Amino acid sequence: MGVAEEPRTGVSAGSRTAEWWRPVLEQIKGIGPATWLSYAVLILAVLWALFPGLFTAYDAITGTPGQQLRAPSLAHFFGTDALGRDVFSRVVHGSVHSLSGAFVATAVGLVVGTALGLLSGSVGGVVDEIVMRIVDVLLSIPGLLFALSIIILLGFGTLNASIAVGAAAIAAFARLMRSEVIRVRSSDYVEAAIGSGGKLSSVLWRHVLPNSLTSVVAFSALQFGSAILQLSTLSFLGYGAPPPTPEWGLLVAEGRNYVATAWWLTAAPGLVVVIVVLAANQVSKSIRGRA
């Protein structure tokens, strides 16, 4: 007689994989068409920045003789400028300057602001009062004016403009992070971790910080779009990248003298800025709605 096989216990690898993917699939199913379109717009903008040669064969700096101020067509999607340069090519190649600058600005605000908010919300007392009073002062100053003040100290250029825009966002990140830290610190599992003898630094790193970042990440997406808009504004005013750099705000500034005769010089890059900023705002709204 054969030996009866013992019944198997536990969960198979396939079942464990299905259990792991189920919440991910539920999150994906809950994403609406507008959010999917926003993700597609941001991915396209990133691809422009990383691989501009895949989207255009025209030189973004050197113009073509005899092609000045051509209206949008199949040969030139966004038309050409006064020097015969393809505007679509300049927009595509300029995405690396606008997006990298916005990324640096968002990173500066996120890292410094999150650190200050975590310190203020976790330590409390005099430290909290000092940090929050500084934050209140910074929030009372318009962001663009504060960024201009820093640029005057650091000098012109894309990197300096990015640092200035990021510095202007530190206060908003710090206040949001502080409120999230205070909310999470009052949770039962955090109180239990502290009461069981856990070190404050360990509790902050393992429990408070991860559970406080969701709203901060959503705000980061919103700030990314705002940084693109602010950097474009600074470039338009002449405080960003110098010509002939194909930066989005600078492209709008270069075309303002031809609005009556060549509307596409300002309309095309301006529309790209608006679409990318709206896409970033929609992604931020989606993340915040799932927090």
Side-chain angles (χ1 to χ4, degrees):
M1 295 180 61
V3 179
E5 183 179 356
E6 294 183 1
R8 294 183 180 179
T9 59
V11 183
S12 64
S15 300
R16 288 195 298 268
T17 303
E19 289 293 332
W20 189 88
W21 275 102
R22 184 172 292 113
V24 178
L25 294 176
E26 291 177 356
Q27 292 288 330
I28 293 176
K29 291 179 181 178
I31 297 178
T35 304
W36 279 119
L37 181 60
S38 299
Y39 277 112
V41 168
L42 294 180
I43 292 173
L44 177 61
V46 172
L47 292 177
W48 280 0
L50 296 178
F51 311 105
L54 296 179
F55 299 91
T56 177
Y58 291 101
D59 194 315
I61 305 298
T62 306
T64 303
Q67 297 293 322
Q68 292 85 354
L69 298 179
R70 295 295 180 93
S73 63
L74 292 178
H76 303 283
F77 298 142
F78 291 170
T80 61
D81 62 8
L83 299 178
R85 296 174 297 192
D86 183 73
V87 178
F88 177 73
S89 177
R90 288 178 62 76
V91 170
V92 171
H93 284 272
S95 60
V96 65
H97 302 284
S98 297
L99 296 186
S100 61
F103 178 80
V104 171
T106 304
V108 170
L110 174 64
V111 174
V112 180
T114 299
L116 289 176
L118 181 62
L119 175 66
S120 177
S122 58
V123 175
V126 178
V127 175
D128 184 30
E129 287 293 329
I130 294 175
V131 172
M132 285 300 101
R133 295 299 74 79
I134 296 175
V135 167
D136 290 339
V137 171
L138 294 178
L139 289 176
S140 66
I141 304 174
L144 188 60
L145 179 60
F146 186 72
L148 284 173
S149 302
I150 297 178
I151 290 177
I152 292 174
L153 296 176
L154 298 179
F156 297 171
T158 303
L159 180 59
N160 291 340
S162 302
I163 294 175
V165 172
I170 289 175
F173 275 102
R175 169 157 290 192
L176 177 61
M177 186 63 185
R178 173 185 177 271
S179 63
E180 289 296 309
V181 168
I182 292 176
R183 178 185 63 82
V184 174
R185 276 203 65 181
S186 61
S187 302
D188 294 336
Y189 63 89
V190 175
E191 296 292 341
I194 296 176
S196 61
K199 294 182 180 180
L200 178 60
S201 58
S202 177
V203 173
L204 290 177
W205 180 256
R206 296 181 58 186
H207 300 289
V208 177
L209 182 60
N211 291 284
S212 303
L213 283 179
T214 304
S215 297
V216 178
V217 170
F219 183 69
S220 298
L222 183 65
Q223 180 58 31
F224 182 79
S226 178
I228 293 176
L229 195 59
Q230 293 184 50
L231 288 171
S232 298
T233 302
L234 292 173
S235 295
F236 180 85
L237 296 175
Y239 294 99
T245 305
E247 201 275 334
W248 289 348
L250 186 58
L251 294 180
V252 177
E254 291 176 346
R256 59 185 169 180
N257 296 326
Y258 303 90
V259 174
T261 57
W263 54 267
W264 56 88
L265 296 182
T266 55
L271 185 61
V272 169
V273 171
V274 170
I275 291 175
V276 173
V277 171
L278 290 178
N281 292 350
Q282 178 62 34
V283 170
S284 172
K285 179 181 177 181
S286 175
I287 297 175
R288 189 169 60 251
R290 298 171 182 276

